[in-house]
Amino acid sequence: MDRVALVIGSTGITGSNLTKELLKQGWQTYGLARNPLRNETGVLPVKADLLDIVNLESALQEVNPTHIFFTTWMRMESEEQNIIVNSSMVQNLLTVVSKKRTVRHVALVTGLKHYLGPFESYATKGSLPETPIREDQPRLSYPNFYYAQEDEVYKAATRDGLTWSIHRPHTVIGHAIGNLMNMGITLAIYASLCKHAQIPFVFPGSEAQWNGLSDVTDARILAEQIVWAADTPAAANEAFNIANGDLFRWSWLWKEIAAWFDIPYIGYDSEIKPLEEAMKDKAPLWRELAERHQLVEPDITELTSAWHTDLDLGRPIEVMTDMSNSRRLGFTAYYNTRDSFYQLFEKLRSDKIIP
């Protein structure tokens, strides 16, 4: 086949939705993951450790991709460690496939920490960026593992004559289990627990997030943009922000989410109330709820990432993204954010993830 995709992190929130889109468009699609059994139906599984280059060479021996889609990362204890580990994963993979001489394009998914800073200094160190955030805003002056990953892609492109694309989503909303950054499922679990315990659905974030404008990225529109960039010559060697295309305020969306679950809510009230604190002792309650409703995952730690939701909703500024770079090149997809959340909740309920 003339289009052979290798999706790195194929079982994650971005990777799983990307493999669906690739299969829908007729690509032969390989999915590399530590547990490839979670791959979508139709994906050719590859089990490999990105930090073990010998293992990686063996796993990819019979795989000859034309396109690489890198959608994964590993969270370490410091940004310095993040840089070492996450750049090594990209470097190892691109070194192994370089020998095949089959790869034409590499796509890398990062995010808005490119503009806001790493977790250790999330939107707090130095001056806050201007919004809407634009692709041409310069790199920040302190370490960021996204920059290190990008630099590995640029090196490989120069060495091997590849094209590349960088994709920077805002908060990604979509279906995936065991994902490190999954606000949609985290809020669904939190809302389900609130309903079960008959307590209000409390907004955990900042006043700026509650009252300011925001946007999010449906994992499906992210997948569409990634494949579009891989198939569009004019999009080669560009970085793209990606969001649904609409704007909202959490003061509105929080009420809409509460309405879907039919629960009372409390908005921002003088201080941040971290979700990680609210969820820290809820594992027994979730297990009880899972047993009562015969849910498929009784371990709350496999479903939620409260720490990441707190980082997103605790920002001291409103954050929305400008998508001019892909719009001017012809990418016109649009998703409604309330529908993104509601459709996710419906799928979670039908899949017996939430009651």
Side-chain angles (χ1 to χ4, degrees):
M1 298 181 69
D2 64 346
R3 299 189 304 175
V4 181
L6 174 60
V7 179
I8 313 302
S10 56
T11 61
I13 189 170
T14 298
S16 61
N17 283 276
L18 176 56
T19 59
K20 287 180 185 177
E21 183 66 23
L22 289 164
L23 291 169
K24 185 172 74 174
Q25 295 194 29
W27 290 60
Q28 184 178 41
T29 305
Y30 290 88
L32 187 152
R34 284 182 176 273
N35 182 8
L37 295 178
R38 288 185 173 180
N39 272 320
E40 295 293 323
T41 302
V43 174
L44 302 169
V46 178
K47 182 176 182 178
D49 181 352
L50 292 167
L51 294 173
D52 183 340
I53 199 163
V54 174
N55 172 266
L56 197 52
E57 287 176 336
S58 175
L60 295 175
Q61 188 172 1
E62 303 299 326
V63 182
N64 298 300
T66 60
H67 294 68
I68 301 292
F69 301 96
F70 205 100
T71 72
T72 192
W73 71 289
M74 288 179 64
R75 187 189 185 197
M76 308 304 291
E77 292 185 359
S78 70
E79 193 61 18
E80 287 70 24
Q81 290 174 301
N82 279 336
I83 289 170
I84 293 169
V85 169
N86 288 286
S87 63
S88 294
M89 292 196 300
V90 177
Q91 182 186 58
N92 289 347
L93 187 279
L94 295 182
T95 297
V96 169
V97 298
S98 175
K99 301 171 187 177
K100 298 175 179 293
R101 305 297 182 194
T102 60
V103 179
R104 304 197 297 263
H105 180 83
V106 176
L108 172 68
V109 179
T110 61
L112 292 200
K113 290 189 297 299
H114 182 93
Y115 311 103
L116 298 170
F119 292 127
E120 294 170 358
S121 56
Y122 215 28
T124 60
K125 189 182 289 186
S127 60
L128 297 171
E130 289 184 328
T131 58
I133 289 171
R134 303 177 186 278
E135 292 97 341
D136 61 3
Q137 289 177 217
R139 287 183 174 186
L140 302 171
S141 61
Y142 39 94
N144 190 319
F145 81 85
Y146 283 169
Y147 305 161
Q149 287 185 309
E150 283 187 2
D151 289 343
E152 292 299 332
V153 171
Y154 301 151
K155 289 176 191 174
T158 300
R159 180 190 66 213
D160 299 333
L162 314 172
T163 61
W164 53 265
S165 59
I166 309 295
H167 304 267
R168 300 169 184 156
H170 196 168
T171 300
V172 180
I173 303 300
H175 185 278
I177 304 302
N179 185 255
L180 282 175
M181 302 187 296
N182 201 328
M183 178 190 285
I185 294 182
T186 297
L187 292 182
I189 300 301
Y190 176 48
S192 299
L193 287 168
C194 289
K195 185 165 189 174
H196 178 65
Q198 297 184 317
I199 58 175
F201 185 54
V202 178
F203 181 73
S206 69
E207 183 177 13
Q209 283 291 298
W210 179 253
N211 292 316
L213 289 171
S214 190
D215 53 23
V216 299
T217 307
D218 192 298
R220 295 168 295 182
I221 198 172
L222 173 56
E224 288 180 31
Q225 190 197 60
I226 294 169
V227 180
W228 164 82
D231 257 350
T232 304
N237 305 330
E238 295 276 357
F240 301 107
N241 291 338
I242 175 64
N244 280 359
D246 61 355
L247 295 173
F248 64 90
R249 301 181 197 275
W250 278 105
S251 57
W252 168 78
L253 186 56
W254 200 255
K255 290 182 283 189
E256 298 296 305
I257 294 174
W260 194 92
F261 285 93
D262 192 23
I263 51 177
Y265 73 92
I266 295 176
Y268 177 81
D269 182 19
S270 74
E271 63 180 358
I272 291 175
K273 300 179 176 66
L275 187 57
E276 193 166 24
E277 179 68 20
M279 299 277 282
K280 70 177 183 180
D281 59 351
K282 296 299 188 291
L285 185 61
W286 180 255
R287 189 168 293 276
E288 173 190 320
L289 195 59
E291 291 175 357
R292 176 180 299 184
H293 294 276
Q294 298 182 314
L295 304 180
V296 299
E297 182 51 75
D299 184 356
I300 197 171
T301 64
E302 288 292 312
L303 300 170
T304 59
S305 51
W307 64 273
H308 180 259
T309 297
D310 283 339
L311 287 169
D312 272 8
L313 297 184
R315 294 170 180 157
I317 55 171
E318 64 176 11
V319 180
M320 77 291 295
T321 51
D322 179 82
M323 287 179 58
S324 296
N325 207 24
S326 58
R327 295 294 191 221
R328 68 181 174 82
L329 294 172
F331 182 75
T332 59
Y334 166 89
Y335 278 60
N336 178 282
T337 290
R338 180 170 58 183
D339 288 348
S340 291
F341 277 94
Y342 281 15
Q343 289 166 12
L344 172 62
F345 299 155
E346 288 164 1
K347 180 164 179 55
L348 294 174
R349 183 165 283 173
S350 68
D351 288 354
K352 301 292 287 183
I353 304 296
I354 62 173

PDB file of all heavy atoms in Angstrom, residues 289-297 351-352:
ATOM      1  N   LEU A 289     -19.808   1.767  43.539  1.00  0.00           N
ATOM      2  CA  LEU A 289     -20.686   2.171  42.444  1.00  0.00           C
ATOM      3  C   LEU A 289     -20.521   1.231  41.245  1.00  0.00           C
ATOM      4  O   LEU A 289     -21.502   0.840  40.601  1.00  0.00           O
ATOM      5  CB  LEU A 289     -20.339   3.610  42.041  1.00  0.00           C
ATOM      6  CG  LEU A 289     -21.333   4.381  41.171  1.00  0.00           C
ATOM      7  CD1 LEU A 289     -22.673   4.490  41.871  1.00  0.00           C
ATOM      8  CD2 LEU A 289     -20.782   5.770  40.866  1.00  0.00           C
ATOM      9  N   ALA A 290     -19.284   0.851  40.967  1.00  0.00           N
ATOM     10  CA  ALA A 290     -19.013  -0.047  39.842  1.00  0.00           C
ATOM     11  C   ALA A 290     -19.648  -1.416  40.057  1.00  0.00           C
ATOM     12  O   ALA A 290     -20.204  -2.013  39.123  1.00  0.00           O
ATOM     13  CB  ALA A 290     -17.505  -0.189  39.639  1.00  0.00           C
ATOM     14  N   GLU A 291     -19.573  -1.928  41.270  1.00  0.00           N
ATOM     15  CA  GLU A 291     -20.176  -3.229  41.570  1.00  0.00           C
ATOM     16  C   GLU A 291     -21.692  -3.167  41.482  1.00  0.00           C
ATOM     17  O   GLU A 291     -22.338  -4.070  40.946  1.00  0.00           O
ATOM     18  CB  GLU A 291     -19.731  -3.684  42.952  1.00  0.00           C
ATOM     19  CG  GLU A 291     -18.241  -4.047  43.026  1.00  0.00           C
ATOM     20  CD  GLU A 291     -17.788  -4.379  44.436  1.00  0.00           C
ATOM     21  OE1 GLU A 291     -18.623  -4.279  45.367  1.00  0.00           O
ATOM     22  OE2 GLU A 291     -16.596  -4.698  44.599  1.00  0.00           O
ATOM     23  N   ARG A 292     -22.256  -2.088  41.977  1.00  0.00           N
ATOM     24  CA  ARG A 292     -23.712  -1.950  41.963  1.00  0.00           C
ATOM     25  C   ARG A 292     -24.258  -1.904  40.547  1.00  0.00           C
ATOM     26  O   ARG A 292     -25.300  -2.495  40.246  1.00  0.00           O
ATOM     27  CB  ARG A 292     -24.136  -0.688  42.728  1.00  0.00           C
ATOM     28  CG  ARG A 292     -25.638  -0.413  42.676  1.00  0.00           C
ATOM     29  CD  ARG A 292     -26.011   0.839  43.432  1.00  0.00           C
ATOM     30  NE  ARG A 292     -25.673   0.770  44.853  1.00  0.00           N
ATOM     31  CZ  ARG A 292     -25.971   1.706  45.746  1.00  0.00           C
ATOM     32  NH1 ARG A 292     -26.614   2.794  45.360  1.00  0.00           N
ATOM     33  NH2 ARG A 292     -25.636   1.568  47.003  1.00  0.00           N
ATOM     34  N   HIS A 293     -23.556  -1.208  39.649  1.00  0.00           N
ATOM     35  CA  HIS A 293     -24.050  -1.021  38.280  1.00  0.00           C
ATOM     36  C   HIS A 293     -23.338  -1.918  37.267  1.00  0.00           C
ATOM     37  O   HIS A 293     -23.545  -1.754  36.069  1.00  0.00           O
ATOM     38  CB  HIS A 293     -23.895   0.449  37.878  1.00  0.00           C
ATOM     39  CG  HIS A 293     -24.753   1.383  38.666  1.00  0.00           C
ATOM     40  ND1 HIS A 293     -26.069   1.638  38.362  1.00  0.00           N
ATOM     41  CD2 HIS A 293     -24.469   2.123  39.776  1.00  0.00           C
ATOM     42  CE1 HIS A 293     -26.569   2.503  39.231  1.00  0.00           C
ATOM     43  NE2 HIS A 293     -25.629   2.818  40.100  1.00  0.00           N
ATOM     44  N   GLN A 294     -22.506  -2.844  37.751  1.00  0.00           N
ATOM     45  CA  GLN A 294     -21.777  -3.774  36.890  1.00  0.00           C
ATOM     46  C   GLN A 294     -20.955  -3.042  35.822  1.00  0.00           C
ATOM     47  O   GLN A 294     -21.010  -3.369  34.631  1.00  0.00           O
ATOM     48  CB  GLN A 294     -22.748  -4.771  36.252  1.00  0.00           C
ATOM     49  CG  GLN A 294     -23.484  -5.646  37.276  1.00  0.00           C
ATOM     50  CD  GLN A 294     -24.397  -6.667  36.620  1.00  0.00           C
ATOM     51  OE1 GLN A 294     -25.149  -6.336  35.710  1.00  0.00           O
ATOM     52  NE2 GLN A 294     -24.329  -7.904  37.074  1.00  0.00           N
ATOM     53  N   LEU A 295     -20.196  -2.051  36.285  1.00  0.00           N
ATOM     54  CA  LEU A 295     -19.335  -1.283  35.381  1.00  0.00           C
ATOM     55  C   LEU A 295     -18.071  -2.075  35.073  1.00  0.00           C
ATOM     56  O   LEU A 295     -17.667  -2.945  35.841  1.00  0.00           O
ATOM     57  CB  LEU A 295     -18.984   0.071  36.006  1.00  0.00           C
ATOM     58  CG  LEU A 295     -20.181   0.939  36.416  1.00  0.00           C
ATOM     59  CD1 LEU A 295     -19.702   2.253  37.018  1.00  0.00           C
ATOM     60  CD2 LEU A 295     -21.102   1.206  35.220  1.00  0.00           C
ATOM     61  N   VAL A 296     -17.431  -1.755  33.954  1.00  0.00           N
ATOM     62  CA  VAL A 296     -16.316  -2.580  33.482  1.00  0.00           C
ATOM     63  C   VAL A 296     -14.993  -2.263  34.185  1.00  0.00           C
ATOM     64  O   VAL A 296     -14.080  -3.091  34.179  1.00  0.00           O
ATOM     65  CB  VAL A 296     -16.117  -2.426  31.962  1.00  0.00           C
ATOM     66  CG1 VAL A 296     -17.357  -2.885  31.221  1.00  0.00           C
ATOM     67  CG2 VAL A 296     -15.760  -0.991  31.575  1.00  0.00           C
ATOM     68  N   GLU A 297     -14.872  -1.081  34.817  1.00  0.00           N
ATOM     69  CA  GLU A 297     -13.609  -0.729  35.458  1.00  0.00           C
ATOM     70  C   GLU A 297     -13.849  -0.205  36.880  1.00  0.00           C
ATOM     71  O   GLU A 297     -14.246   0.941  37.066  1.00  0.00           O
ATOM     72  CB  GLU A 297     -12.859   0.324  34.635  1.00  0.00           C
ATOM     73  CG  GLU A 297     -11.506   0.710  35.212  1.00  0.00           C
ATOM     74  CD  GLU A 297     -10.627  -0.494  35.520  1.00  0.00           C
ATOM     75  OE1 GLU A 297     -10.099  -1.086  34.559  1.00  0.00           O
ATOM     76  OE2 GLU A 297     -10.490  -0.842  36.715  1.00  0.00           O
ATOM     77  N   ASP A 351     -20.960   2.001  27.109  1.00  0.00           N
ATOM     78  CA  ASP A 351     -19.852   1.049  27.298  1.00  0.00           C
ATOM     79  C   ASP A 351     -19.703   0.585  28.741  1.00  0.00           C
ATOM     80  O   ASP A 351     -18.749  -0.123  29.067  1.00  0.00           O
ATOM     81  CB  ASP A 351     -18.532   1.692  26.849  1.00  0.00           C
ATOM     82  CG  ASP A 351     -18.426   1.833  25.337  1.00  0.00           C
ATOM     83  OD1 ASP A 351     -19.327   1.331  24.631  1.00  0.00           O
ATOM     84  OD2 ASP A 351     -17.458   2.449  24.865  1.00  0.00           O
ATOM     85  N   LYS A 352     -20.626   1.001  29.591  1.00  0.00           N
ATOM     86  CA  LYS A 352     -20.622   0.611  31.017  1.00  0.00           C
ATOM     87  C   LYS A 352     -19.366   1.096  31.737  1.00  0.00           C
ATOM     88  O   LYS A 352     -18.844   0.421  32.627  1.00  0.00           O
ATOM     89  CB  LYS A 352     -20.761  -0.915  31.156  1.00  0.00           C
ATOM     90  CG  LYS A 352     -22.019  -1.495  30.549  1.00  0.00           C
ATOM     91  CD  LYS A 352     -23.273  -1.070  31.325  1.00  0.00           C
ATOM     92  CE  LYS A 352     -23.375  -1.771  32.652  1.00  0.00           C
ATOM     93  NZ  LYS A 352     -24.615  -1.426  33.396  1.00  0.00           N
TER      94      LYS A 352
END
